[in-house]
Amino acid sequence: MNVFTVPMKLLTAVVLDEVTDTVKKELLRLGVLDFIQVSRLAPEQAARLSVQKQQEEPGTYTNLRSRVETLFMQAGMPTPSSEKLNPDTMQPLEVGKAKALVDKVVGDLSTIREQQKQLSQSRIRVDELLRYVTEEKLQYLDIRIGQVGKGNDALIRSRLANQAFVLIQPATWKDFVLLTLKRDRQQVSPLVETLQWMENPDGGLQRVALPFLQAELEQQMENLGKANAEIKERITLRIKEDMESLETLWCDLRLHELLGEIAQNFSHTRNTTIFSGWVPQSESSALESVIRAAADGACVIEWTDAKYLPREEVPVAVEDIPLLRPFQKLVDNYSIPEYGTINPTPFVAISYLVMFGLMFADAGQGLVILLLGLLGLKHSQRNPQLKPKMISADMYRLFIYLGTASIVSGVIFGSYFGFALFPPIWFDYHAAVVGHESTGRNVYSILTITIWFGIVIIGLGLVLNWINLIRKKDWFHLLMDKNGLVGGWLFGCGIWAAFAFVGTGYKQLPQGLFLPIAFGLPLVLLFAKVPLHRYMERRHGKELEPKGIGSLVMDAVLEWIVDVLEIFSGFLANTLSFMRVAGLGIAHVSLMTAFAQMADLAGGGVAGIVVLLLGNAMVIALEGLSAGIQALRLNYYEFFTKYFTGRGLSYNPIALHPHAGRQIISRP
Amino acid sequence: MSVGELNRYAFINAKLRSRIGGMLDDQRLENLLRCQSLDELFNQLKDTPYEPLLEIYDQSADIQRLEAWLFARNVRLHLDVAKLTDGIHSQTVLAMTRKLEVENLKSVVRLWFSNTVKHQNIDYRLGYLYQQQIVSPIDWARIANAQTYDQIVETLSRTPYAQSAAAISASRIATEGLFSLETAFDRTWFSMLRSVVAKLPGDDRDLVEAVLDRDSDLKNIINLVRFGWMYSLPGDKLRTLMLEGGGITKTKEFRQYLETPPAERSPQKLVGRRFPDLAKELQESGKSSAEMQTLLVEQYLFRIRRKEFHAMLRGYPFNFGIILTYFFLEERQDTIIRSLINGIHYGWDSPAIREFAV
């Protein structure tokens, strides 16, 4: 496992123009080259190079692909997977024909949608009538009960086609019941009169008719719902009629899009094509072979090691470690590491899990979280089309890890759903918190443990920083930075002095030469930071603003004051910050103790079990969330700030599959 | 910064800023402008607050349902913000929400007018209007189904719009249409808003009044140009259209504008002193139509408001400005979405949609 960022090499290649298309396809197939503009390498030659004009506007393929994907979505079909992309089977693309195909499908769908709109309007009509009938708002309704003298019910329906109405003839009734809106009376009455409507004089029948009308309206709503479902099915079927063509089109569009992106990074002379880009060192041989084969040997390939170029221009990739993927996401959320530095992921995995375990030490609750993670992951894998709501598949994976950490620490501290069911491997955390003397430990012991934990984490951060600085050969910052050797020295001596002070019962700091050597020397050294930095910059040929002695001294003094304040207050605050690990752990115990007491007060039995179940659920949800967030904060702030500069450039090769990028999977 | 301001605005500031942060950014808007069908548009709006439009369109293919949802969403947002505040601040937000209530009221009355006065079949159209309570408990269905104008007046009798409705007779509505009634509703709302804002504490009051004064001025200018020039309304009628507040109605240019015969009225002279930039734009547009001039004033108003609200967003966070800014940005976003929906549905080209949307 490589804990550093993946070593990269810069490729510059020249091939003949006639093999450009073949080379493009092979580069796409391999998918490892993160292109850079050739003109950046040789700006003075840039004027002699040209970029090939693309046949289509850059966005044409993307827009068309987006339209095709919309059709897939409408049909409830997933977008074709990148595994279907094959440069060998790619067809020449006539954009006009492609647009015509998509337009034809969309046009047909518009016609179906128009019918759907009519249905929607019908539903609104029926819904209003149903609402008034259900709420018995008869003041808005005209309910006619009677018979037609001229024509039949079909004629009534055709005459009233443009109105909101219901016409029924309940079973055993001779009369029809005609329901319309009172506000439409001016239009409806003349229509009804032409049919020689004979109204039943019994006004009480209107109320009797209401249930029949309601039933009829509900039936109509149901029918309209079914009709709408049929229309949606027709939409799906219409798209599926052309599914094969659309899938082929999507693949061709995507391939053309990607090849177009590659082509934009090619520069041309009269007869040659030049391109350049970064590739992981492990892929360099494969890439060279592929280019030589595509160019039939007629090519020039030059490699440049990343160490010869400015670090900030080198894209950063890290080795993909499948087990650590959830933690990679945590790191990615923060930033991209600088090239050549340590990949924080393995360290974050350990520190995050240990922190969480210390804050949420319970084997039973950890098991619940583990099971939640397993079930959630299984569910999301079975239903890949479902959009994750609050918790994604990666989060479920993280739950599995956190649950395991919690189980391990629960066993170490002897906590099982808040009860000491088995003896602890280390000490009884619960007993220590509540003050049982049998453990020989108390809350202060726990605080001490977490402070030591913090010291280890901060110390680890400093060591990682030194390693990074040594690799960068940045000797100045290695020595003088607040997270450098001077800062580390002060941190170490500060801890020694603090523990010595505590050891004397808060009475006395270490005597003798300790303090002058421990603190005096580095502080004097820090004072030399500004002049030393200036000297080194001048040695490297950098132009500096001329400054007088007085100004230099003032700069040195101010910088020194700031550095001293930052080092002392920063390290102190960072170290004490880890007390929150103890705080949360203690709070966890306190809550479980409280719920246990509440269960007793509830009289035990079923009521007690219910209290315990609810209590455990609440603790898992609230304390679990709290512990997760605090562990993240400690990593991001107390740990990362020691060594993670985060100025990296992302490695983004143009590849067939969308996941090619910073996490590269090592080839066997 | 007082403790009171901090207590009042700390939470709402964080909440509204997080909502503002989730609004559509320029890149997303560019993607939306490239859409050629409504299905594409709604596909692009997935993972945004407008995602429900996809389901509504999929179920109904009815853009009026989409507009109805947008309106309901706007009401909900306003009422949410009212709940986040209390006392006079909550009343101020509710007073601002009444603008939506007035819009809905005008729409329902227009339906009634089409049906009862014009004898047109309004069919299903009531179903598209918002029918729940916004601020006052108004029985919308009763208004739409009213047999006479008096029934509408009675329905509104326990609302702030009672007086405005009662002041206009049924015969006037029948002969002149709804213009006077709608204008009266607008002025009632604005007057209510003004009176509530006057009760806000110091800095908040000054801030909101400054915004309302500027809005009054520019909306009055719009009305003066539109109705004074395009429709050639006489001076006394124009005066009744004016919203209270602002400074334009106190100027001699305003008096002269009213006194000048309609054909000779000059929008540039009207605004020249108070809004010289606007006057310059109107002049540079040449002898364009009243519609064009009105559009220029509306665009000018939009630009001023955008500049002002962005300054509020960058400035002191613990005042009413965050609420005003949030409503402005939401309104702008809604306008863009509506323009896109209508533009794509009616087959406008991209530049035309862009002109209305952005």
Side-chain angles (χ1 to χ4, degrees):
Chain A
M1 184 178 80
N2 185 5
V3 294
F4 296 100
T5 60
V6 167
M8 305 290 272
K9 283 175 97 161
L10 180 67
L11 164 92
T12 307
V14 184
V15 300
L16 294 172
D17 251 354
E18 58 241 34
V19 300
T20 303
D21 284 346
T22 314
V23 168
K24 272 196 294 188
K25 283 185 185 173
E26 293 307 320
L27 289 176
L28 180 61
R29 195 200 308 279
L30 195 59
V32 295
L33 194 58
D34 184 357
F35 287 90
I36 62 169
Q37 290 291 331
V38 171
S39 52
R40 281 176 56 192
L41 293 173
E44 65 281 358
Q45 304 292 334
R48 295 186 183 185
L49 302 172
S50 63
V51 177
Q52 193 172 54
K53 194 175 177 329
Q54 296 302 305
Q55 224 175 341
E56 294 294 335
E57 290 277 327
T60 304
Y61 296 130
T62 309
N63 291 343
L64 206 44
R65 177 173 60 86
S66 175
R67 293 183 69 195
V68 173
E69 285 173 1
T70 303
L71 291 172
F72 288 139
M73 182 219 52
Q74 280 184 266
M77 307 288 293
T79 306
S81 129
S82 57
E83 282 158 21
K84 290 197 174 179
L85 296 175
N86 184 355
D88 293 331
T89 57
M90 188 176 80
Q91 302 293 321
L93 191 64
E94 286 182 46
V95 172
K97 265 189 177 172
K99 274 187 183 167
L101 169 63
V102 175
D103 286 344
K104 172 88 177 56
V105 178
V106 169
D108 291 346
L109 293 180
S110 296
T111 311
I112 303 173
R113 287 280 189 205
E114 188 54 39
Q115 293 168 20
Q116 194 181 22
K117 186 177 129 184
Q118 309 284 339
L119 270 181
S120 165
Q121 289 166 353
S122 300
R123 281 161 81 178
I124 295 174
R125 235 179 246 131
V126 171
D127 184 63
E128 190 180 1
L129 287 173
L130 180 58
R131 201 157 25 97
Y132 295 157
V133 165
T134 312
E135 293 169 15
E136 294 194 14
K137 291 201 167 153
L138 301 183
Q139 65 272 32
Y140 301 149
L141 300 172
D142 268 344
I143 302 176
R144 293 177 168 85
I145 300 177
Q147 296 183 29
V148 284
K150 188 174 163 187
N152 54 21
D153 60 320
L155 187 59
I156 302 175
R157 287 179 206 284
S158 71
R159 290 272 169 93
L160 296 177
N162 291 332
Q163 307 295 333
F165 79 99
V166 171
L167 180 71
I168 56 172
Q169 188 177 30
T172 74
W173 283 40
K174 281 188 187 159
D175 289 335
F176 285 102
V177 180
L178 174 62
L179 171 72
T180 54
L181 290 167
K182 199 169 274 184
R183 67 174 187 246
D184 294 337
R185 190 181 277 179
Q186 288 229 338
Q187 287 102 43
V188 169
S189 294
L191 291 171
V192 166
E193 275 162 27
T194 60
L195 296 167
Q196 294 173 5
W197 180 268
M198 291 171 292
E199 184 73 17
N200 190 319
D202 184 358
L205 285 174
Q206 290 188 348
R207 283 226 169 255
V208 176
L210 277 177
F212 295 111
L213 288 168
Q214 185 172 339
E216 173 64 18
L217 285 164
E218 284 166 357
Q219 183 61 49
Q220 284 189 14
M221 283 298 277
E222 200 183 312
N223 293 343
L224 287 168
K226 282 181 187 161
N228 196 42
E230 278 168 23
I231 282 189
K232 287 173 69 177
E233 184 61 29
R234 278 171 57 199
I235 289 172
T236 305
L237 287 172
R238 175 59 193 90
I239 297 170
K240 282 185 175 171
E241 268 175 36
D242 282 311
M243 188 50 76
E244 211 180 301
S245 307
L246 288 170
E247 277 186 359
T248 308
L249 176 60
W250 183 89
C251 291
D252 287 341
L253 283 168
R254 185 66 186 136
L255 286 166
H256 276 85
E257 209 181 321
L258 290 169
L259 289 170
E261 276 180 48
I262 292 176
Q264 280 183 332
N265 290 290
F266 280 10
S267 294
H268 301 270
T269 60
R270 206 175 336 161
N271 296 313
T272 64
T273 299
I274 310 168
F275 58 92
S276 184
W278 290 97
V279 61
Q281 195 169 299
S282 56
E283 302 286 350
S284 56
S285 309
L287 180 62
E288 183 164 343
S289 310
V290 146
I291 295 172
R292 288 196 185 282
D296 216 10
C299 59
V300 174
I301 293 177
E302 200 176 273
W303 292 103
T304 310
D305 205 283
K307 66 184 178 195
Y308 298 113
L309 290 157
R311 195 176 291 273
E312 56 272 12
E313 290 181 16
V314 185
V316 174
V318 295
E319 193 176 318
D320 176 48
I321 306 162
L323 274 179
L324 298 185
R325 263 186 217 149
F327 304 100
Q328 184 66 57
K329 289 245 179 247
L330 295 181
V331 172
D332 287 348
N333 277 347
Y334 187 82
S335 190
I336 300 171
E338 214 178 339
Y339 178 74
T341 60
I342 285 173
N343 174 15
T345 305
F347 303 97
V348 165
I350 298 167
S351 65
Y352 191 80
L353 290 175
V354 172
M355 285 176 200
F356 186 86
L358 284 174
M359 287 189 272
F360 198 84
D362 191 289
Q365 290 167 352
L367 182 63
V368 171
I369 294 175
L370 172 68
L371 288 173
L372 268 172
L374 286 169
L375 287 170
L377 186 61
K378 201 170 172 187
H379 180 259
S380 56
Q381 281 169 346
R382 273 197 187 152
N383 301 286
Q385 74 285 0
L386 281 180
K387 199 180 69 164
K389 294 201 168 135
M390 274 181 68
I391 305 176
S392 62
D394 284 319
M395 190 72 96
Y396 284 123
R397 285 189 188 95
L398 191 60
F399 279 8
I400 295 169
Y401 284 103
L402 295 178
T404 310
S406 198
I407 290 171
V408 167
S409 50
V411 168
I412 289 173
F413 294 117
S415 178
Y416 303 82
F417 290 112
F419 295 103
L421 298 178
F422 300 103
I425 292 175
W426 189 2
F427 67 90
D428 189 338
Y429 201 106
H430 274 239
V433 169
V434 301
H436 286 162
E437 286 176 7
S438 55
T439 62
R441 292 181 194 271
N442 55 24
V443 167
Y444 294 104
S445 318
I446 295 170
L447 283 167
T448 308
I449 290 169
T450 56
I451 287 178
W452 270 112
F453 174 66
I455 290 168
V456 166
I457 294 291
I458 292 170
L460 176 63
L462 289 172
V463 168
L464 295 178
N465 189 45
W466 300 339
I467 295 171
N468 284 339
L469 290 168
I470 290 169
R471 280 172 66 85
K472 283 157 68 173
K473 296 187 171 50
D474 188 352
W475 310 117
F476 176 78
H477 285 103
L478 173 65
L479 182 63
M480 292 297 202
D481 190 59
K482 66 177 190 284
N483 294 321
L485 293 170
V486 165
W489 175 282
L490 284 166
F491 177 59
C493 292
I495 290 164
W496 183 281
F499 275 97
F501 182 64
V502 170
T504 63
Y506 303 93
K507 286 182 183 142
Q508 198 176 307
L509 284 168
Q511 299 296 296
L513 288 173
F514 174 79
L515 286 179
I517 293 172
F519 295 101
L521 272 178
L523 289 178
V524 166
L525 202 56
L526 265 182
F527 200 81
K529 184 177 171 185
V530 167
L532 185 59
H533 188 240
R534 208 173 156 80
Y535 167 73
M536 286 181 71
E537 295 220 301
R538 193 172 282 158
R539 253 191 85 178
H540 284 123
K542 206 170 167 189
E543 269 198 45
L544 299 168
E545 188 196 336
K547 281 189 175 182
I549 290 286
S551 183
L552 268 175
V553 168
M554 185 57 78
D555 282 350
V557 167
L558 288 173
E559 185 97 16
W560 181 82
I561 292 172
V562 169
D563 277 341
V564 167
L565 281 172
E566 271 190 355
I567 288 171
F568 279 91
S569 63
F571 277 123
L572 180 65
N574 289 162
T575 308
L576 293 179
S577 201
F578 281 86
M579 285 166 66
R580 73 185 67 225
V581 175
L584 270 156
I586 292 165
H588 186 217
V589 168
S590 306
L591 273 172
M592 292 315 301
T593 308
F595 281 118
Q597 287 172 355
M598 281 162 67
D600 283 340
L601 285 171
V606 172
I609 290 172
V610 168
V611 167
L612 285 174
L613 277 172
L614 289 173
N616 272 280
M618 201 190 317
V619 166
I620 290 170
L622 294 176
E623 280 280 335
L625 182 65
S626 209
I629 290 170
Q630 292 302 327
L632 192 64
R633 173 244 135 82
L634 285 168
N635 272 282
Y636 278 1
Y637 193 68
E638 269 71 31
F639 192 30
F640 280 3
T641 50
K642 296 294 164 281
Y643 68 99
F644 191 166
T645 50
R647 285 192 291 266
L649 198 62
S650 188
Y651 167 62
N652 289 315
I654 299 177
L656 290 173
H657 58 94
H659 301 296
R662 282 212 315 115
Q663 286 170 274
I664 58 164
I665 296 159
S666 305
R667 293 179 192 278
Chain B
M1 175 186 70
S2 70
V3 173
E5 284 171 356
L6 181 62
N7 285 341
R8 184 176 303 123
Y9 287 112
F11 177 69
I12 193 171
N13 203 299
K15 196 154 175 90
L16 296 186
R17 276 179 194 269
S18 79
R19 285 188 189 178
I20 290 169
M23 286 184 181
L24 306 177
D25 57 27
D26 291 341
Q27 180 57 51
R28 176 90 70 162
L29 287 174
E30 276 306 314
N31 292 345
L32 295 178
L33 282 163
R34 279 200 284 269
C35 293
Q36 295 185 34
S37 72
L38 288 175
D39 287 298
E40 271 180 78
L41 177 70
F42 300 133
N43 196 24
Q44 290 285 337
L45 286 171
K46 271 164 126 180
D47 304 322
T48 73
Y50 295 95
E51 189 172 342
L53 289 172
L54 175 62
E55 178 62 20
I56 295 169
Y57 185 71
D58 191 49
Q59 290 292 335
S60 67
D62 190 346
I63 66 165
Q64 286 184 284
R65 279 211 197 237
L66 303 174
E67 300 232 12
W69 181 86
L70 286 168
F71 184 84
R73 177 178 176 268
N74 209 353
V75 169
R76 203 171 51 246
L77 291 179
H78 276 73
L79 295 178
D80 279 348
V81 173
K83 281 184 198 153
L84 292 173
T85 50
D86 58 8
I88 190 62
H89 294 81
S90 179
Q91 286 176 41
T92 306
V93 175
L94 286 173
M96 293 171 74
T97 312
R98 283 192 187 277
K99 184 181 176 191
L100 298 173
E101 189 171 68
V102 164
E103 289 305 315
N104 205 53
L105 180 58
K106 289 196 284 192
S107 299
V108 175
V109 171
R110 279 179 204 146
L111 271 189
W112 167 85
F113 184 79
S114 295
N115 180 252
T116 312
V117 178
K118 298 270 197 189
H119 306 301
Q120 290 166 355
N121 180 8
I122 62 170
D123 203 359
Y124 46 78
R125 287 171 186 78
L126 179 60
Y128 292 129
L129 297 182
Y130 193 79
Q131 295 193 47
Q132 291 162 50
Q133 181 173 339
I134 299 177
V135 183
S136 298
I138 300 175
D139 190 339
W140 306 106
R142 196 155 175 245
I143 295 174
N145 287 289
Q147 299 292 299
T148 62
Y149 179 68
D150 288 336
Q151 285 179 359
I152 295 177
V153 173
E154 196 200 322
T155 308
L156 294 174
S157 60
R158 287 196 186 86
T159 71
Y161 315 104
Q163 213 172 343
S164 310
I168 300 187
S169 66
S171 55
R172 190 173 164 195
I173 300 240
T175 49
E176 293 178 12
L178 292 172
F179 180 72
S180 358
L181 180 64
E182 291 184 358
T183 312
F185 284 153
D186 285 335
R187 286 208 311 281
T188 302
W189 160 68
F190 204 73
S191 174
M192 271 194 289
L193 179 59
R194 281 264 171 197
S195 66
V196 169
V197 165
K199 295 176 196 160
L200 281 171
D203 288 345
D204 281 343
R205 183 184 62 240
D206 294 341
L207 177 79
V208 181
E209 280 183 347
V211 169
L212 291 180
D213 280 343
R214 194 262 344 279
D215 274 11
S216 293
D217 275 341
L218 288 163
K219 284 177 184 169
N220 285 338
I221 292 168
I222 289 170
N223 283 341
L224 287 168
V225 169
R226 185 182 284 151
F227 299 109
W229 195 16
M230 194 161 98
Y231 292 112
S232 304
L233 278 188
D236 55 340
K237 285 232 161 79
L238 275 180
R239 197 182 285 279
T240 64
L241 300 181
M242 297 295 103
L243 295 172
E244 62 186 85
I248 201 80
T249 51
K250 300 182 180 89
T251 61
K252 79 168 189 291
E253 286 84 4
F254 171 70
R255 286 194 302 277
Q256 285 170 353
Y257 190 87
L258 295 190
E259 286 158 9
T260 311
E264 291 165 35
R265 284 171 180 158
S266 165
Q268 290 95 303
K269 278 190 190 159
L270 173 67
V271 307
R273 198 156 57 93
R274 282 184 75 82
F275 299 99
D277 294 339
L278 176 58
K280 191 175 166 201
E281 275 185 45
L282 290 171
Q283 189 165 26
E284 281 169 5
S285 71
K287 290 184 184 175
S288 56
S289 61
E291 291 94 340
M292 198 58 216
Q293 301 254 319
T294 310
L295 186 61
L296 283 172
V297 178
E298 283 175 356
Q299 286 171 347
Y300 181 80
L301 171 64
F302 172 74
R303 286 199 305 275
I304 295 270
R305 288 170 112 204
R306 183 173 55 188
K307 195 171 153 191
E308 206 169 68
F309 289 124
H310 280 151
M312 282 185 204
L313 204 54
R314 289 191 302 271
Y316 183 65
F318 303 114
N319 60 28
F320 206 85
I322 185 64
I323 296 174
L324 293 175
T325 308
Y326 172 67
F327 284 150
F328 168 76
L329 291 171
E330 276 289 349
E331 190 188 328
R332 176 177 171 253
Q333 197 172 235
D334 258 18
T335 304
I336 292 171
I337 298 295
R338 279 173 209 273
S339 304
L340 283 164
I341 290 172
N342 283 291
I344 293 171
H345 179 73
Y346 291 111
W348 298 352
D349 58 23
S350 197
I353 299 176
R354 189 181 287 271
E355 194 184 318
F356 276 95
V358 179

